[in-house]
Structures are given as structure tokens and as C-alpha cells.
Amino acid sequence: MKLNKGVIYILLGASFFGFTPIFAKLGFSFGYSLGQINIVQMVISFFLLWSLTLIKRASFKGLNKKNIVQIMITGCLIGLTSIFYYGSMEYLPASLAIILMFQFVWIGIILEWIFSKIKPAPITILSIILILIGVFFASNFVNGDIGGLPYKGLIFGILSAFTYAGFIFCSGKVAVNVDPWMRSSLMVTGSTILVFIVFMHDIPTVLPLESDLLSIAVGVSLFGAVLPPLFFAAGAPLVSGGVANILTSIELPIAILSASLILSEVVTPLQWLGIAIILVAIACNELGTKLFQRIKEYP
């Protein structure tokens, strides 16, 4: 029962995060800056999450000075992901920014290797190779479309993958016994502090708050900073890191489809092939690892 609930929570969290490109791209099209979008997003997220946490009377059980700081640092990672992810979209097509950020899958495997001493199996190494092949096709590098793109956007995209992988890794390790509502509220507190520090010079430009910026920030906040961390906080402790990586892969097709259908971005058949290879590689990693384990147990 616990596994089923964890699976549902992570699927929902990843699905919600897949819709954030719509709001970020709309914000940039209206002329708002990266700082303005992030500041308003985090303020809304902060008040919304803490209000819900207090209304639900979430438990403070298990909290101490040490893990409060750890939870807030974990929240900083999702704050950095928002900065880098939306920053990448400012310079790149949303579909490419999504694909770059999605490299968190193999980065997460490496984090497990370094910090949890879980050495990747041969099938995992094969999966990483397949993911990189998938990225080659999905990025439309074959048609030479990536050569003229701003390097700043590409760097932001890769950085978002590292911070997102770090967030998922820490979500399953830090203060897992603390109430998910309380964890999420402390995470968004860390994110908000970080964003205010990074975009301090943009704070005066937010006021007076325009209705378009407010609407975009509400969408980005709900789908990027409120719902995903909340569902990840509830689901990550209930499943293994490998299963979490597979489940979060639903974000990729949802994000690409939303960019294609709503933002009218062109996604070629070759790019869809690359996306399919990435998804297959992610599934093969976990399923193949379990298969080899069973073969060893039952020779």
C-alpha cells in the first residue's frame, strides 16, 4: 500500500511540473524578467503553503535545528532549479530546455553512487549511454539546429538538471519522518530566501503588481513550486531512488506535448524518437536491475 501511494504522489508531482514551461514562456513573451517571475512565484508559494500548513495544523514532530536547516537547503535546490530552468527557457525553445533539465535522471544515478555508495550496475551504465543517445536526437543536433543557440541557455539547462537531481535525492533522505506539509513549507521558505538574495535588484520592479504577472506567477507557483515539492515530499520516502527516477519520466512527454500543443513549438519525428529512447532507457535501468537481482537470487 505504501508503494502504491508513493507511486501516485510522485507521478502527480512530476506531471504538474511538466506544465511550468507554458507559464514561464508566457511570462517572457509579456516582457517580464526572470527575477520578476521568480520573486512573485516564490512569494505566492510561501504564503500558500504556510497557510495550508497552518490550516491543516501540520505536526512539528521530528523537527530540530539541524533538520530545519537541512530541509531549507533542500528547498534552495528547487529554487535554483526554477532559476536555471526558466532561465534556460528565456534563451531556448521550451522543448530543448526541458530535455536538458531532464538529464537529472543519469545525474541522480551518479549522486546515488557518490553519496549512497550504490555502484551503478552494467544495465545502468547502458541506460546512461542510451539516454545520451536519446538527447542527441531529441535536441535536434542532427539537423544542426543546436549550433546557433545561446550557450547561456544551454548552460542554464544543464545546471537545472544538476539542481533538480540534487532536490530529488535530498527529498528522499532529509527529515523523511517530518510531516510532508511542514517539510514543503520549510522547503519553500529556503527557496524564497534564496530567490530574494539572487534577485534583490529586481524586487522594486515587481510593484505595483500587474495582473498579467500575477496570473503567470500563480500558474508557475502552483505547478512549479507548490504541488511538485509537496507530492515529492510525500512520495519520495515511500519508493526507491530508481523507481522515483522512472516515475518522474512522465514529466518529459507531458512537458514536450504542452510546448507543442499550447506554445506551438515544432517537435520533429526525430526528436520524438530521441524522447522515446530516453524513456525506454529510464525504464530499462530499473526493470533490468531488478531482473538481474532475481537471476542472482534464483540461479
Side-chain angles (χ1 to χ4, degrees):
M1 187 65 182
K2 280 190 174 182
L3 178 60
N4 291 337
K5 286 176 65 176
V7 166
I8 292 170
Y9 290 151
I10 291 178
L11 280 175
L12 285 171
S15 298
F16 288 134
F17 202 73
F19 287 102
T20 53
I22 301 169
F23 300 101
K25 275 293 190 182
L26 283 174
F28 292 131
S29 71
F30 288 153
Y32 297 116
S33 69
L34 178 63
Q36 289 173 317
I37 293 172
N38 271 284
I39 289 168
V40 183
Q41 169 200 356
M42 288 303 170
V43 170
I44 293 171
S45 303
F46 178 89
F47 283 107
L48 184 58
L49 270 175
W50 273 111
S51 296
L52 291 171
T53 298
L54 295 175
I55 290 170
K56 289 183 68 66
R57 296 182 180 179
S59 173
F60 286 84
K61 185 178 179 180
L63 283 177
N64 54 57
K65 290 182 180 179
K66 181 179 179 181
N67 62 21
I68 286 175
V69 173
Q70 291 174 337
I71 295 170
M72 290 178 65
I73 291 174
T74 302
C76 288
L77 291 173
I78 199 65
L80 285 171
T81 301
S82 293
I83 294 171
F84 294 137
Y85 188 35
Y86 304 153
S88 180
M89 287 184 202
E90 191 173 8
Y91 300 96
L92 304 176
S95 55
L96 180 54
I98 294 157
I99 290 164
L100 290 173
M101 193 273 284
F102 216 77
Q103 301 316 296
F104 76 85
V105 176
W106 62 265
I107 295 170
I109 292 169
I110 292 176
L111 290 179
E112 289 275 358
W113 186 7
I114 294 173
F115 295 106
S116 297
K117 308 302 179 184
I118 301 175
K119 187 177 180 180
I123 188 70
T124 301
I125 295 173
L126 176 62
S127 297
I128 291 174
I129 294 171
L130 285 174
I131 288 172
L132 295 176
I133 292 172
V135 171
F136 178 79
F137 289 113
S139 63
N140 220 15
F141 185 81
V142 176
N143 294 329
D145 290 349
I146 200 171
L149 295 172
Y151 287 108
K152 195 172 183 179
L154 298 174
I155 292 170
F156 278 165
I158 291 297
L159 287 174
S160 72
F162 276 95
T163 54
Y164 193 43
F167 168 69
I168 293 175
F169 177 81
C170 292
S171 290
K173 309 290 183 185
V174 174
V176 295
N177 295 322
V178 174
D179 188 300
W181 285 96
M182 187 60 63
R183 289 180 74 210
S184 298
S185 296
L186 288 170
M187 283 180 188
V188 81
T189 301
S191 296
T192 304
I193 293 171
L194 174 77
V195 166
F196 269 67
I197 292 172
V198 172
F199 296 111
M200 191 177 298
H201 62 284
D202 284 322
I203 295 175
T205 68
V206 170
L207 299 175
L209 186 61
E210 297 180 3
S211 59
D212 285 340
L213 178 57
L214 178 62
S215 300
I216 289 162
V218 168
V220 174
S221 175
L222 284 175
F223 289 96
V226 174
L227 295 174
L230 180 61
F231 281 100
F232 283 142
L238 304 180
V239 300
S240 70
V243 170
N245 279 334
I246 290 179
L247 296 175
T248 51
S249 66
I250 195 175
E251 177 190 329
L252 182 60
I254 287 176
I256 298 293
L257 279 172
S258 66
S260 177
L261 297 175
I262 301 174
L263 299 176
S264 300
E265 291 191 0
V266 177
V267 184
T268 67
L270 202 59
Q271 286 178 286
W272 280 116
L273 172 63
I275 293 164
I277 292 173
I278 293 171
L279 295 175
V280 168
I282 294 167
C284 284
N285 172 56
E286 182 65 20
L287 298 177
T289 301
K290 287 186 176 180
L291 179 61
F292 279 121
Q293 287 175 347
R294 288 183 180 180
I295 292 173
K296 287 181 179 180
E297 291 174 0
Y298 303 101

